[in-house]
């Protein structure tokens, strides 16, 4: 039995892969950047299989999964981690191509992989799907527009999956992390502006990728009769904003 982690070349995905291999599991790390996966493979050894896959391309997903040998092809845990945020402009100022990329990756990509893996889990009546959502899927913030909405999709899709899987032993969890540093998340969001990216975490005690990786490991090792539907995690530096009130509009 294997574990499939998407977006495994960096950030949460690399950390999740590392933690699961160190815990004794066999992990397939999928991503576009094969060189990065190969570096991880050097570190993790034979229990880690690099798999080149672009989740935004259905053909690439289908081809990559079809290429798995019998030894690796039975997926007991799917971690749908691949995803990104692009830009923090308001909706009226946002670049539409950024919206398309987020929808293509965070929504369509996640569904391509899930739809491929679900039948084998149902046939075995066993398996676990962990989706990486975000606090942005529940808590709106300025500039979160399509990113937050895509993560709301991930949360609701996770709950709806469990509903469709009623009567099976297949488990589904949405993990919603808040502010998390030491990944490429903000560097990508701000298109390589590392100063702007670093400012997001300045003087905060942000979450670290290992916190999310340990959560994945904990979830996977919970008793098989237990399903955590949704788990939301923030650093103590972060809490809820007050509601915004505009003055002088009347
Ligand atoms: C990451 C959390 O607050 O940057 O999904 O949107 S946040």
């Amino acid at each position: 039995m294997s574990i499939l982690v998407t977006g495994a070349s960096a950030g949460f995905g690399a950390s999740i892969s590392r933690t699961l291999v160190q815990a004794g599991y066999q992990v397939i790390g999928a991503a576009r950047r094969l060189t990065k996966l190969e570096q991880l493979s050097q570190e993790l050894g034979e229990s880690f299989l690099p798999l080149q896959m672009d989740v935004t391309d259905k053909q690439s997903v289908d081809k990559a999964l079809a290429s798995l040998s019998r030894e690796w092809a039975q997926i007991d845990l799917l971690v749908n981690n691949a995803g990104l945020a692009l830009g923090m402009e308001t909706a009226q100022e946002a670049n539409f191509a950024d919206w398309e990329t987020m929808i293509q990756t965070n929504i369509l990509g996640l569904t391509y992989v899930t739809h491929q893996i679900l039948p084998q889990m149902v046939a075995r009546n066993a398996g676990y799907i962990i989706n990486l959502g975000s606090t942005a899927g529940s808590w709106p913030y300025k500039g979160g527009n399509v990113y937050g909405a895509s993560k709301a999709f991930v949360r609701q899709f996770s709950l709806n999956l469990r509903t469709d899987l009623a009567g099976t032993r297949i488990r589904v969890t949405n993990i919603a992390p808040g502010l998390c540093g030491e990944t490429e998340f903000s560097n990508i969001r701000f298109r390589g502006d590392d100063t702007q990216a670093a400012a997001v975490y300045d003087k905060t005690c942000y979450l670290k990728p290992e916190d999310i990786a340990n959560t994945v490991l904990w979830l996977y090792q919970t008793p098989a009769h237990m399903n955590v539907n949704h788990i939301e995690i923030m650093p103590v530096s972060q809490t809820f904003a007050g509601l915004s009130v505009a003055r002088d509009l009347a």
Side-chain angles (χ1 to χ4, degrees):
M1 287 291 180
S2 306
I3 292 172
L4 173 62
V5 179
T6 67
S9 56
F12 288 175
S15 186
I16 292 165
S17 300
R18 187 175 287 116
T19 297
L20 292 170
V21 166
Q22 285 167 356
Y25 299 104
Q26 186 165 285
V27 175
I28 304 162
R32 278 179 302 188
R33 293 180 291 183
L34 192 57
T35 318
K36 286 260 185 189
L37 292 176
E38 278 164 354
Q39 282 165 5
L40 199 53
S41 171
Q42 298 264 314
E43 176 194 332
L44 299 180
E46 288 185 354
S47 295
F48 180 81
L49 180 74
L51 183 68
Q52 190 166 34
M53 176 199 282
D54 177 358
V55 296
T56 68
D57 176 350
K58 188 169 185 309
Q59 275 194 334
S60 163
V61 171
D62 294 351
K63 206 171 141 200
L65 294 177
S67 76
L68 293 171
S69 67
R70 190 186 289 204
E71 187 202 343
W72 290 89
Q74 299 292 300
I75 310 296
D76 191 53
L77 169 63
L78 165 62
V79 184
N80 276 316
N81 162 70
L84 82 172
L86 287 174
M88 256 189 101
E89 296 81 13
T90 55
Q92 57 274 30
E93 288 164 343
N95 175 348
F96 192 76
D98 288 346
W99 285 10
E100 287 181 307
T101 304
M102 289 187 278
I103 291 167
Q104 189 70 42
T105 311
N106 303 358
I107 298 181
L108 283 173
L110 184 139
T111 59
Y112 294 154
V113 181
T114 305
H115 194 256
Q116 270 281 3
I117 300 295
L118 264 176
Q120 55 151 289
M121 288 187 175
V122 172
R124 292 195 312 271
N125 195 15
Y128 197 153
I129 299 174
I130 295 181
N131 293 325
L132 265 294
S134 167
T135 48
S138 301
W139 305 101
Y141 59 81
K142 195 170 182 182
N145 45 71
V146 164
Y147 175 68
S150 73
K151 293 302 186 175
F153 173 91
V154 174
R155 175 169 48 86
Q156 195 65 17
F157 183 58
S158 305
L159 299 177
N160 282 343
L161 272 177
R162 263 301 290 160
T163 310
D164 288 356
L165 291 165
T168 75
R169 297 183 194 284
I170 300 162
R171 302 190 286 167
V172 184
T173 299
N174 178 56
I175 303 182
L179 191 72
C180 186
E182 298 177 17
T183 76
E184 298 173 336
F185 178 82
S186 290
N187 308 77
I188 291 169
R189 176 172 235 176
F190 298 120
R191 300 181 185 80
D193 183 338
D194 296 340
T195 309
Q196 198 180 359
V200 174
Y201 310 101
D202 187 36
K203 299 195 180 80
T204 71
C205 58
Y206 50 76
L207 296 172
K208 301 191 175 174
E210 300 77 41
D211 299 323
I212 305 309
N214 288 328
T215 303
V216 169
L217 177 63
W218 171 72
L219 286 166
Y220 190 44
Q221 293 185 334
T222 53
H225 67 270
M226 172 173 153
N227 193 88
V228 177
N229 299 327
H230 172 75
I231 183 164
E232 185 174 82
I233 310 166
M234 292 182 184
V236 290
S237 292
Q238 188 176 36
T239 178
F240 316 100
L243 295 178
S244 118
V245 177
R247 313 273 168 194
D248 303 323
L249 275 180

